[in-house]
């Protein structure tokens, strides 16, 4: 073999190694059309360089004709493989065009297989050329001139290259810039190979090896790109496997959590209402209570105890599909547990494919609630009875005090007994309010004050024409333990105003106000426009026993504050919060 044939033979070997390596890889991973097309291109490069090596090794120009025919066949088949490869990468080559070019390739191969004489290679025009290469190297190139058929094939090859470059540009404009850049680089190398071959045909023999090198560079570039793609794919596949492992771990963890609960969890198909999935709790429920082994696909007809239950369950599912998530309580038959059911709609890509149901056995909690309810009712009855008897006992005490007062001649003693009656009456009124109320822990101060004013006005024989009592009351509810000291304080302040604010026939008014501020502070006002009191008068030490007791009730039992304005009559203001005590029921 001549030395200058060896580079082409080496390049042919490298192309074959690329094709063999791709074939082994794809044999393990599975073949795809794009991969087969690249293997075809690599084999085309192998045969082309192999035939070039044979052409460089001939001794006579006529001997090169067979090798040139083989080179043309290799180029035609490689061009078809390249068109196939670009078609698979870009998706822009129509199948009918690919088939048409395959027919053209077959005709070109046939033209080389048949002896068409000077139409292909002109044997009568041989030539021998000494080619000088870089580094002082040279070799003798022997060939014959090509005919018109070869010229036509050359033009077709140049048109194919130009069209493939146009397809790569269109592919990049469609958003595949990275893939298009790689494809354009490959086609640029092939264009260089084609131009170098044309240069040799024009007599520039120094370019003769560039064609072989370009083919090798083209195949190497595509092989490197495909290796990078495979590496990226392998990395993505590895990450996908890790994600799948994590997903499987999450599924196992979620299943363990769902199966560990005693609640009943399942899902059904939106069309047939057949079971899709269910947890261990539901499986045990049917196994222990019904002796039924659950299987996916079972419908209400397979799991319900009675035909009525079948209709009920289907009604539940239809309602959930029509209305969306909702809750329901269900008791299938005597002896079965009471279930609290939550229905939810399952969707995938905005399409309803099923329903999920969460069921909880609330039999014990409902029984406990019923026990508590009955206990509370019993306590309410006892409290009402207690309030009623306390009120009756106080009414008896008031009657006894009244009887005693009627037998006493001392006005002071009679007044004291009357005051005691009113104090007891104010307490009894609280019990009466509670006995009649639905809430056994709270008293409505507005109603209480209205009735207390009526009782005291009647007790002291107040004429509405002489003393007007103005009520400015807002609805305020206080606890029982706060209502009694409030009642005693109001009794003392209203009694004090009725007795001392309007001596003789003096007329006037008493204003009673009640409201609760936004922060919860309760404000109680008792004011009169009577004769008032001296500016230096101290109600804490010099007032009546009841008025003195007012300060103690407000400050110690209500933990509130009291203020007095004596500039025009007497104006009392009591402020407190109803947060010292807790509800009794």
């Amino acid at each position: 073999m001549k030395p200058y044939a060896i580079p082409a033979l080496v390049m042919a070997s490298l192309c074959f190694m690329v094709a063999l390596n791709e074939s082994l890889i794809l044999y393990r991973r599975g073949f795809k059309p794009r991969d087969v097309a690249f293997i075809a291109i690599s084999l085309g490069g192998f045969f082309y360089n192999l035939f070039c090596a044979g052409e460089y090794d001939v001794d006579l120009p006529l001997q090169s004709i067979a090798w040139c025919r083989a080179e043309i066949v290799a180029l035609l088949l490689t061009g078809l493989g390249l068109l196939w490869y670009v078609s698979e990468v870009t998706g822009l080559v129509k199948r009918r065009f690919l088939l048409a070019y395959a027919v053209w390739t077959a005709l070109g191969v046939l033209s080389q297989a048949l002896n068409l004489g000077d139409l292909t290679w002109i044997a009568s025009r041989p030539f021998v050329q000494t080619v000088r290469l870089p580094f002082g190297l040279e070799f003798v190139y022997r060939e014959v001139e090509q005919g018109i058929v070869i010229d036509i094939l050359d033009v077709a090859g140049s048109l194919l290259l130009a069209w493939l470059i146009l397809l790569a540009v269109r592919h990049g404009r469609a958003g595949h810039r990275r893939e298009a850049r790689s494809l354009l680089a490959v086609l640029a190398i092939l264009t260089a190979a084609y131009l170098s071959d044309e240069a040799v045909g024009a007599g520039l023999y120094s370019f003769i090896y560039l064609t072989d090198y370009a083919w090798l560079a083209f195949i190497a570039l595509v092989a490197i790109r495909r290796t990078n793609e495979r590496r990226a794919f392998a990395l993505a596949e590895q990450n996908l496997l890790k994600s799948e492992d994590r997903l499987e771990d999450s599924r196992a963890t979620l299943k363990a959590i769902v199966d560990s609960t005693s609640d009943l969890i399942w899902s059904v198909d939106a069309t047939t209402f057949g079971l899709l999935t269910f947890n261990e709790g539901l499986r045990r429920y049917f196994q222990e209570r019904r002796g039924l082994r659950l299987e996916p696909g079972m419908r209400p007809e397979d799991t319900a105890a009675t035909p009525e239950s079948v209709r009920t369950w289907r009604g539940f599912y239809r309602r959930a599909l029509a209305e969306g998530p909702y809750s329901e309580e269900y008791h299938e038959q005597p002896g079965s547990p009471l279930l609290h059911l939550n229905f939810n709609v399952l969707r995938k890509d905005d399409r309803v494919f099923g329903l999920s149901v969460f069921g909880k056995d609330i039999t014990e909690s409902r029984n406990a609630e019923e026990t508590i309810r009955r206990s509370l009712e019993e306590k309410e009855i006892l409290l009402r009875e207690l309030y009623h008897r306390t009120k009756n006992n106080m009414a008896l005490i008031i009657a006894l005090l009244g009887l005693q007062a009627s037998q006493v001649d001392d006005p002071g003693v009679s007044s004291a007994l009357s005051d005691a009656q009113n104090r007891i009456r104010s307490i009894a009124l609280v019990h009466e309010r509670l006995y009649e109320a639905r809430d056994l822990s709270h008293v409505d101060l507005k109603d209480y004050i209205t009735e207390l004013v009526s009782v005291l006005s009647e007790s002291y024989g107040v004429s509405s024409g002489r003393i007007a009592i103005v009520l400015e009351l807002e609805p305020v509810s206080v606890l029982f333990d706060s209502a009694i000291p409030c009642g005693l304080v109001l009794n003392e302040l209203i009694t004090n105003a009725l007795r001392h604010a309007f001596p003789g026939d003096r007329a006037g008014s008493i204003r009673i106000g009640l409201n609760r501020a936004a922060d919860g502070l309760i404000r109680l006002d008792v004011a009169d426009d009577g004769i008032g009191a001296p500016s230096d008068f101290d109600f804490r030490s010099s007032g009546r026993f009841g008025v003195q007791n007012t300060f103690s009730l407000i400050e110690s039992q209500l933990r509130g504050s009291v203020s007095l304005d004596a500039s025009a009559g007497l104006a009392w203001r009591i402020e407190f919060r109803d947060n010292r005590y807790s509800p009794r029921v």
Side-chain angles (χ1 to χ4, degrees), residues 120-294:
T120 53
W121 302 98
I122 306 175
S124 60
R125 296 180 184 176
F127 61 87
V128 178
Q129 178 71 35
T130 300
V131 180
R132 299 185 185 278
L133 299 173
F135 307 107
L137 301 177
E138 64 179 23
F139 75 95
V140 179
Y141 182 69
R142 299 173 178 86
E143 198 179 48
V144 296
E145 285 190 19
Q146 62 188 34
I148 188 170
V149 172
I150 305 302
D151 292 336
I152 293 173
L153 293 177
D154 279 347
V155 173
S158 62
L159 293 176
L160 176 65
L161 267 178
W163 188 60
L164 292 179
I165 291 173
L166 179 62
L167 289 181
V169 172
R170 287 175 56 192
H171 191 55
R173 289 178 178 175
H176 308 279
R177 295 184 179 179
R178 182 178 178 183
E179 202 171 44
R181 282 197 298 268
S182 177
L183 193 58
L184 283 171
V186 168
L187 294 174
I189 293 174
L190 285 183
T191 302
Y194 178 80
L195 293 176
S196 67
D197 191 57
E198 292 298 313
V200 172
L204 301 175
Y205 294 100
S206 297
F207 290 92
I208 193 163
Y209 278 137
L210 287 181
T211 302
D212 308 330
Y213 290 140
W215 272 108
L216 178 62
F218 158 69
I219 293 172
L221 182 61
V222 176
I224 291 172
R225 176 177 175 272
R226 289 171 58 79
T227 301
N228 292 335
E229 287 179 352
R230 278 195 292 269
R231 186 181 295 113
F233 178 78
L235 181 61
E237 190 177 42
Q238 184 179 7
N239 292 334
L240 179 61
L241 290 175
K242 290 181 179 179
S243 299
E244 289 178 348
D245 290 341
R246 288 194 295 268
L247 180 60
E248 188 61 33
D249 291 341
S250 299
R251 286 176 177 171
T253 302
L254 181 60
K255 186 177 186 304
I257 293 173
V258 171
D259 285 341
S260 66
T261 180
S262 60
D263 295 342
L264 314 179
I265 304 174
W266 72 96
S267 62
V268 297
D269 182 77
T271 304
T272 65
F273 301 143
L275 276 175
L276 297 177
T277 58
F278 52 87
N279 74 332
E280 187 66 17
L282 188 71
R283 188 196 66 78
R284 288 195 304 267
Y285 177 85
F286 277 92
Q287 183 68 38
E288 295 172 0
R289 295 182 178 275
R290 304 269 299 282
L292 179 64
R293 180 182 178 84
L294 285 184

Side-chain angles (χ1 to χ4, degrees), residues 334-389:
S336 63
L338 177 64
L339 298 178
H340 181 81
L341 305 171
N342 288 304
F343 295 86
N344 293 279
V345 178
L346 300 177
R347 288 183 172 85
K348 183 178 181 180
D349 299 330
D350 294 330
R351 182 182 66 85
V352 175
F353 71 91
L355 297 169
S356 65
V357 188
F358 294 81
K360 186 175 184 63
D361 185 349
I362 60 171
T363 306
E364 293 184 3
S365 61
R366 186 54 57 85
N367 290 339
E369 289 176 6
E370 184 64 22
T371 301
I372 293 172
R373 186 187 63 79
R374 286 197 298 266
S375 176
L376 285 174
E377 287 180 353
E378 292 172 359
K379 288 182 179 179
E380 286 185 6
I381 292 171
L382 291 174
L383 276 174
R384 289 185 188 279
E385 183 64 20
L386 178 61
Y387 292 148
H388 183 60
R389 293 194 179 191

Side-chain angles (χ1 to χ4, degrees), residues 408-482:
V408 174
D409 296 329
D410 188 338
V413 174
S414 179
S415 177
L417 292 174
S418 178
D419 288 345
Q421 279 183 301
N422 287 332
R423 292 186 184 109
I424 296 172
R425 189 176 285 112
S426 68
I427 297 173
L429 187 57
V430 172
H431 286 81
E432 183 179 350
R433 292 281 95 195
L434 287 172
Y435 174 72
E436 296 174 353
R438 297 182 62 182
D439 186 349
L440 299 181
S441 295
H442 293 82
V443 175
D444 187 341
L445 278 185
K446 179 181 178 181
D447 293 342
Y448 174 79
I449 293 172
T450 302
E451 190 164 351
L452 180 62
V453 168
S454 176
V455 169
L456 292 177
S457 297
E458 184 179 351
S459 175
Y460 288 102
V462 175
S463 171
S464 58
R466 188 171 69 89
I467 301 176
I469 299 179
V470 181
L471 301 180
E472 298 175 355
L473 309 175
E474 294 180 3
V476 176
S477 180
V478 297
L479 290 170
F480 166 79
D481 296 285
S482 299

Side-chain angles (χ1 to χ4, degrees), residues 394-413:
M394 287 185 176
L396 179 59
I397 294 171
I398 292 169
L400 291 175
L401 289 175
L403 183 61
Q404 186 66 43
S406 65
Q407 297 176 0
V408 174
D409 296 329
D410 188 338
V413 174

Side-chain angles (χ1 to χ4, degrees), residues 19 50 62 156 200 224 257 312 327 330 333 373 471 496 525 547:
L50 182 66
L62 291 179
V200 172
I224 291 172
I257 293 173
T312 301
S327 299
Y330 180 61
Q333 59 183 359
R373 186 187 63 79
L471 301 180
N496 185 67
D525 295 316
V547 176

